Amino acid sequence: QVQLVESGGGLVQAGGSLRLSCAASGRTFSSSTMGWFRQAPGKEREFVAAISRRFLTYYADSVTGRFTISRDNAKNTVYLQMNSLKPEDTAVYFCAVNLQGVTGDYDYWGQGTQVTVSS
């Protein structure tokens, strides 16, 4: 069992920055792929970014160049640095863990943290 707890969300003006954190429990963190997803009101959940156990990173086109995913295995924590935020980035952001690797379904999900970007 893996538990994920996100933090760092909030209200920010367009052009601003936020850093999300996701603390994970369990011994599988360092060997797992970690991902960030988001869900805006009335929309389906979408992929934002992922980082593999070998620190390879993947991004959605909509956030490439603005968001950076990173991980600290010593702290069992994954981060999402979000710069140049836009109103369309407003969503609930979830972190998730994929025990199988980069592809396939994610196995465990956090409760989410709200990010609101005002224009």
Side-chain angles (χ1 to χ4, degrees):
Q1 187 78 10
V2 176
Q3 292 185 328
L4 304 170
V5 179
E6 302 99 334
S7 62
L11 173 64
V12 64
Q13 288 189 332
S17 298
L18 282 174
R19 189 176 82 153
L20 305 183
S21 300
C22 174
S25 66
R27 296 177 291 176
T28 60
F29 180 83
S30 63
S31 62
S32 302
T33 291
M34 300 298 298
W36 285 98
F37 294 76
R38 66 187 181 186
Q39 186 167 20
K43 295 186 177 181
E44 293 187 353
R45 186 170 59 194
E46 64 176 2
F47 169 79
V48 176
I51 184 166
S52 73
R53 64 186 180 94
R54 292 191 174 96
F55 296 83
L56 297 175
T57 57
Y58 307 84
Y59 296 96
D61 290 344
S62 59
V63 307
T64 297
R66 300 188 298 121
F67 290 11
T68 302
I69 189 171
S70 61
R71 66 191 298 164
D72 185 337
N73 289 341
K75 296 182 179 180
N76 273 19
T77 301
V78 62
Y79 304 98
L80 186 68
Q81 177 66 43
M82 305 186 295
N83 299 329
S84 302
L85 282 161
K86 305 175 182 180
E88 51 263 44
D89 294 318
T90 295
V92 178
Y93 283 71
F94 300 89
C95 74
V97 59
N98 185 337
L99 301 177
Q100 308 305 316
V102 176
T103 59
D105 295 336
Y106 280 71
D107 301 280
Y108 297 97
W109 295 80
Q111 293 298 308
T113 185
Q114 177 71 47
V115 172
T116 303
V117 184
S118 63
S119 56

